[in-house]
Amino acid sequence: TEGPPPTPVAAVSQYACQRRTTIENNNKIFTDAFEVLAESYEFSELEGPCLAFRRAASVLKSLPMAVPCLAATQGLPCLGEHTKAVMEEILRYGRAFEVEKTLSDERYQTLKLFTSVFGVGPKTAEKWYRRGLRSFSDILAEPSIQLNQMQQSGFLHYEDISRAVSKAEARALGNIIDEAVHAITPDGILALTGGFRRGKEFGHDVDFIVTTPELGMETSLIPIIINRLTRQGILLYCDYQASTFDKSKLPCHRFEAMDHFAKCFLILRLEGSQVEGGLNSAEGDSRDWRAVRVDLVSPPMDRYAFALLGWTGSRQFERDLRRFARMERGMLLDNHALYDKTKKEFLAATTERDIFAHLGLEYIEPWQRNA
Ligand code: 8DG
Ligand code: MN
Ligand code: MN
């Protein structure tokens, strides 16, 4: 006899902004493999295959259970022949040949090592690789290489900033920044964003939005905070980028990934005594402080919701929000604004919910954006 008809399962969307993805990843064996291949394609500047593996990984991350067999991927979007072949091998042998080969590839290993330094991107890493350099000591011993300030700090604090930042450390940094913001202006606003806002237990840095309700005043906030951190003796590195945001240019503004708000990329000295439960430090390290990466961004209050949405991530979630807006709604979204191309007008928003509503999307909570 036939059982009851199967409960229809909602189709999985090709867009990460129409999926709920928590930090619980039930398909890590596949997504870790895809991430290796995506990164390897990124190093080779093959954007198509890179994006394909990132999208596939993102779809699998959203699933409530581990994929038990290839047949179970029926109907899932973004899984092509190549990704399925890799999954099949992993299901059968626990690993995939192409991934093993990439992991043992000298070029991949070297570019991965070089780009792990703060201030070193794929371009620089590639340049060093082509010059025959293979290790940090090769780079540091090469007299013709002029490291910029960011890279010098990257090497100086390499061990500390490669180590994950814990939630307790993020909280301690939040207290330090909060104190600075409120010493400047009692109505100052501080918000945690980035991975920690998405509920991650660990991060590579801590991201904050700092602003004030008075429009225009926010641009002076970061310089004053930097001043204060300097006087406190805890500023180890600072790359400050003044605002290039010009509202008068908004209608013909080019929508892009990088935003124009005032921001800074910092390395701060965090004291163990300030962290509940102590520092996440290396075994055998007797210092009672560590260096930590911190990003601050300062949008004007009328752009707050867009900046918060843009800086909360994940990167894949952001990419798909923009792609969805463009492809499905004829709208342009970035960290500053949402523009309706059909109506030829900007859509205002004071909360993230407003932006999801304008896009005709169900609201996705920050902790469901780990795409
Ligand atoms: P992690 O630090 O724990 O590794 O993860 P994350 O918090 O998600 O990554 P992130 O690299 O700190 O980036 C957080 C978000 O900030 C991400 O969605 C991209 C966004 N972002 C911008 N503009 C810029 C920018 O100019 N630089 C950086 N680094 N991130 C930016 O929207
Ligand atoms: Mn972050
Ligand atoms: Mn960051």
Side-chain angles (χ1 to χ4, degrees):
T1 57
E2 281 174 44
T7 330
V9 175
V12 175
S13 169
Q14 64 152 312
Y15 296 105
C17 54
Q18 290 186 305
R19 305 190 293 254
R20 297 175 197 274
T21 314
T22 63
I23 50 172
E24 179 188 306
N25 177 0
N26 301 299
N27 287 284
K28 203 166 179 303
I29 46 162
F30 305 116
T31 61
D32 282 352
F34 290 176
E35 189 45 48
V36 169
L37 299 177
E39 203 164 26
S40 169
Y41 284 117
E42 189 169 37
F43 290 150
S44 309
E45 289 180 276
L46 293 168
E47 263 174 67
C50 170
L51 199 59
F53 277 109
R54 293 237 157 96
R55 280 194 189 144
S58 179
V59 166
L60 297 189
K61 281 182 193 173
S62 75
L63 302 179
M65 65 221 161
V67 172
C69 60
L70 215 51
T73 64
Q74 256 262 343
L76 290 179
C78 310
L79 300 178
E81 290 304 308
H82 195 173
T83 51
K84 283 187 180 168
V86 172
M87 288 181 77
E88 174 134 57
E89 264 188 272
I90 293 174
L91 283 164
R92 238 185 243 190
Y93 311 111
R95 56 206 180 120
F97 177 73
E98 197 182 350
V99 177
E100 300 291 302
K101 198 181 70 182
T102 305
L103 286 172
S104 62
D105 178 61
E106 188 182 31
R107 186 181 129 85
Y108 173 82
Q109 287 178 354
T110 311
L111 296 183
K112 180 97 181 137
L113 177 72
F114 290 175
T115 55
S116 74
V117 179
F118 177 53
V120 181
K123 292 261 154 61
T124 307
E126 172 75 38
K127 196 175 74 192
W128 291 346
Y129 182 78
R130 271 193 270 109
R131 291 172 63 167
L133 308 173
R134 296 292 180 267
S135 65
F136 289 164
S137 44
D138 285 353
I139 295 166
L140 299 172
E142 178 57 52
S144 66
I145 286 186
Q146 278 289 325
L147 297 176
N148 63 30
Q149 289 282 311
M150 196 183 244
Q151 294 159 347
Q152 284 179 33
S153 316
F155 276 110
L156 188 61
H157 302 291
Y158 184 78
E159 265 205 58
D160 275 13
I161 60 183
S162 313
R163 193 164 338 104
V165 183
S166 70
K167 249 185 196 174
E169 289 169 333
R171 257 194 307 273
L173 288 158
N175 293 338
I176 293 169
I177 306 297
D178 188 67
E179 199 180 85
V181 171
H182 288 102
I184 297 162
T185 163
D187 57 4
I189 291 160
L190 172 70
L192 178 68
T193 178
F196 284 109
R197 183 165 183 250
R198 301 198 309 273
K200 280 177 63 176
E201 292 294 329
F202 292 96
H204 99 281
D205 67 359
V206 194
D207 307 281
F208 296 102
I209 294 184
V210 293
T211 189
T212 72
E214 304 99 301
L215 287 185
M217 292 298 287
E218 74 285 344
T219 53
S220 56
L221 218 46
I222 288 181
I224 304 174
I225 294 171
I226 290 169
N227 229 299
R228 189 182 163 89
L229 299 172
T230 309
R231 279 186 280 111
Q232 290 174 326
I234 61 172
L235 191 74
L236 300 176
Y237 173 80
C238 173
D239 172 18
Y240 168 65
Q241 300 180 1
S243 167
T244 53
F245 180 63
D246 188 347
K247 218 180 192 164
S248 61
K249 285 190 192 148
L250 256 183
C252 54
H253 173 258
R254 227 183 95 237
F255 279 73
E256 53 207 329
M258 287 291 141
D259 63 53
H260 295 269
F261 304 131
K263 58 174 79 69
C264 61
F265 307 104
L266 310 175
I267 301 176
L268 297 185
R269 179 186 161 109
L270 181 63
E271 300 294 332
S273 59
Q274 294 176 293
V275 182
E276 206 186 305
L279 290 173
N280 179 28
S281 50
E283 220 168 301
D285 188 342
S286 59
R287 288 175 307 149
D288 197 32
W289 67 274
R290 64 164 292 184
V292 197
R293 278 269 302 108
V294 172
D295 290 341
L296 305 181
V297 61
S298 198
M301 204 52 209
D302 59 345
R303 305 289 142 186
Y304 182 83
F306 297 102
L308 182 63
L309 182 61
W311 278 76
T312 298
S314 69
R315 282 176 196 272
Q316 194 57 40
F317 190 88
E318 301 299 326
R319 271 187 213 116
D320 277 3
L321 259 180
R322 286 158 203 223
R323 191 164 61 97
F324 176 87
R326 199 176 60 245
M327 306 299 284
E328 305 296 328
R329 300 291 185 256
M331 294 181 187
L332 297 173
L333 172 70
D334 68 9
N335 288 2
H336 318 93
L338 178 63
Y339 182 72
D340 188 323
K341 290 199 286 182
T342 322
K343 294 185 184 161
K344 293 195 169 65
E345 66 181 23
F346 283 92
L347 306 173
T350 52
T351 64
E352 289 179 317
R353 282 183 189 274
D354 294 343
I355 304 171
F356 281 89
H358 282 316
L359 291 168
L361 283 170
E362 276 178 43
Y363 182 64
I364 308 287
E365 299 283 359
W367 57 89
Q368 299 170 330
R369 300 180 201 163
N370 290 284

